[in-house]
Amino acid sequence: MSSLPPLPSFHWPGRPGEPVPATPAAPHGAIVDCAVYVDGQRLWDRCTYKNALAEVRERKAGFVWLGLLEPGKELMTDVAETFGLHSLAAEDAVHAHQRPKLERYDDILFLVMRTVQYLEHELKTVAEIVDTGEIMVFTGPDFVITVRHGEHGGLAGLRKDLEADPAQLALGPGAVLHAVADHVVDTYVTVTADIEEDVDAMEEEVFTPANKLQIEAIYQLKREVVELRRAVKPLQLPLQVLTHDTTLPLPKEIRRYLRDVTDHHTAVTEQILDFNESLSALINAALAKVSVQQNTDMRKISAWAAMAAVPTAIAGIYGMNFDFLPELRWHYGYPIVIGVMVLLCTMLYVNFRRNKWL
């Protein structure tokens, strides 16, 4: 692998004395990083993307990697004009909430991916569990632009890892595209593992006797799994196209790497579908458990009401204003009636206990 000596100073390849074109003012932190890479080595720091692209094209080697965080319309319009991006793709990069997709504009690829983050929470509480964002990647012959939306999914660590592997980075912009896709799918794997622990814990709670789990918590987890599925599953088709379409401007070696990413993504998608089915079964089981508990409670209430009805009926009969009631003036009438009440209630109690109503 050849190594180019560093240039003594960075210059704008225009006419002598021509000023460097100004870059539109960007919100604080919108431009995260911009660098030139030649043969896998980073050559320049703190350069504008216009200067970086001009240097790469003057050298006719290497590529520019520009990282953006939630860019505004003005900045993205200038970036699109500088790098030759399609206006529709640039508009999508400004406005988030795009469905995962892959679009091709001549020799430029535009890949949209949803990022996910697991949020710590209490199992039995109704709370947000999965937070989503977006990463968009533009790749051209001599540049790659990553646009990120959301507070998570930073790519600084990924850039450092790639810079530590010049052989991989020397494969060009496609290497960055693969690395970002692999990074996103790896977060899917991590979040799915965390969700799996929640599903297992929820299943244990539902089927543990005497545990009272709010069905709302199961519904919340199911809703978050549905949101995770909407973020993950649509990426399946773009990854398959990147892997199998030989007409795309991607090196053969990069397509081989993308096969592994596609395999991991397929496994995650299948696992999320299993979560959805498991949670549906848990909801049905929880509803059945609640129904059984309600039936048990109703039987207990009915049993106690039946036992209370016996003395109430007898007392009501003897409370009527008639002179000729049986044993009304008998000396032992009162204790006998009380004894009959106790006997009948005892018989009912024993019968209900035998039939597990009490």
Side-chain angles (χ1 to χ4, degrees), residues 109 139 173-175 177 242 246-255 258:
L109 296 180
T139 58
L177 176 66
L242 287 171
T246 57
T247 64
L248 295 179
L250 286 175
K252 183 178 181 180
E253 189 68 19
I254 295 300
R255 290 201 301 272
L258 285 170

Side-chain angles (χ1 to χ4, degrees), residues 1 66 105 167 174 200 231-232 338 345:
M1 180 178 63
L66 172 63
Y105 302 93
D200 292 341
V232 173
I338 295 297
C345 290

Side-chain angles (χ1 to χ4, degrees), residues 303-336:
W304 287 111
M307 288 188 290
V310 171
T312 301
I314 295 175
I317 292 173
Y318 278 89
M320 293 187 294
N321 296 321
F322 291 104
D323 291 334
F324 302 100
L325 287 175
E327 294 83 25
L328 184 61
R329 300 186 182 280
W330 188 29
H331 182 73
Y332 298 102
Y334 177 76
I336 289 176

Side-chain angles (χ1 to χ4, degrees), residues 58-351:
E58 183 184 38
R59 284 173 172 265
K60 296 182 180 180
F63 66 94
V64 179
W65 183 356
L66 172 63
L68 302 175
L69 172 62
E70 299 180 355
K73 182 178 180 180
E74 181 183 3
L75 173 62
M76 199 63 212
T77 299
D78 188 73
V79 170
E81 293 176 354
T82 302
F83 290 91
L85 307 179
H86 196 279
S87 59
L88 293 177
E91 183 179 355
D92 287 344
V94 174
H95 304 288
H97 309 294
Q98 300 293 323
R99 180 182 173 87
K101 61 182 179 178
L102 174 67
E103 295 179 348
R104 180 179 182 178
Y105 302 93
D106 297 327
D107 56 352
I108 297 177
L109 296 180
F110 176 49
L111 177 64
V112 178
M113 294 172 286
R114 298 288 299 275
T115 59
V116 296
Q117 181 185 28
Y118 179 81
L119 303 177
E120 295 295 337
H121 63 283
E122 295 293 334
L123 179 64
K124 296 184 179 181
T125 59
V126 178
E128 187 177 6
I129 302 172
V130 177
D131 185 25
T132 60
E134 289 183 35
I135 291 181
M136 307 172 185
V137 184
F138 296 88
T139 58
D142 51 11
F143 67 86
V144 57
I145 303 171
T146 55
V147 182
R148 182 165 60 89
H149 289 269
E151 298 180 358
H152 62 277
L155 300 176
L158 175 65
R159 187 186 287 258
K160 290 181 180 179
D161 292 340
L162 281 175
E163 290 175 354
D165 187 6
Q168 181 72 10
L169 201 55
L171 294 175
V176 179
L177 176 66
H178 159 261
V180 174
D182 186 53
H183 170 73
V184 171
V185 173
D186 283 344
T187 60
Y188 292 167
V189 174
T190 302
V191 171
T192 303
D194 293 331
I195 293 292
E196 183 178 17
E197 294 181 1
D198 284 344
V199 173
D200 292 341
M202 194 78 74
E203 186 177 23
E204 183 178 354
E205 287 287 334
V206 169
F207 292 106
T208 299
N211 270 4
K212 294 183 179 180
L213 179 65
Q214 297 295 328
I215 297 181
E216 289 82 358
I218 307 178
Y219 274 114
Q220 175 70 12
L221 182 56
K222 182 177 174 61
R223 188 172 69 87
E224 295 297 313
V225 168
V226 170
E227 182 178 356
L228 180 63
R229 183 185 64 187
R230 290 174 179 171
V232 173
K233 194 175 186 302
L235 186 59
Q236 186 172 12
L237 181 58
L239 289 177
Q240 290 177 351
V241 174
L242 287 171
T243 303
H244 300 292
D245 191 348
T246 57
T247 64
L248 295 179
L250 286 175
K252 183 178 181 180
E253 189 68 19
I254 295 300
R255 290 201 301 272
R256 289 175 178 173
Y257 288 134
L258 285 170
R259 290 176 191 169
D260 182 64
V261 178
T262 304
D263 291 341
H264 290 169
H265 181 270
T266 301
V268 169
T269 302
E270 293 176 352
Q271 194 171 12
I272 293 174
L273 293 177
D274 291 340
F275 291 161
N276 192 43
E277 294 177 0
S278 298
L279 289 173
S280 297
L282 283 181
I283 290 175
N284 292 333
L287 290 174
K289 187 177 180 181
V290 170
S291 179
V292 170
Q293 183 62 44
Q294 289 177 343
N295 290 336
T296 301
D297 294 340
M298 286 302 299
R299 286 189 299 179
K300 290 181 179 180
I301 294 173
S302 299
W304 287 111
M307 288 188 290
V310 171
T312 301
I314 295 175
I317 292 173
Y318 278 89
M320 293 187 294
N321 296 321
F322 291 104
D323 291 334
F324 302 100
L325 287 175
E327 294 83 25
L328 184 61
R329 300 186 182 280
W330 188 29
H331 182 73
Y332 298 102
Y334 177 76
I336 289 176
V337 170
I338 295 297
V340 170
M341 291 181 182
V342 173
L343 178 62
L344 291 176
C345 290
T346 303
M347 292 174 60
L348 288 173
Y349 179 81
V350 172
N351 185 59

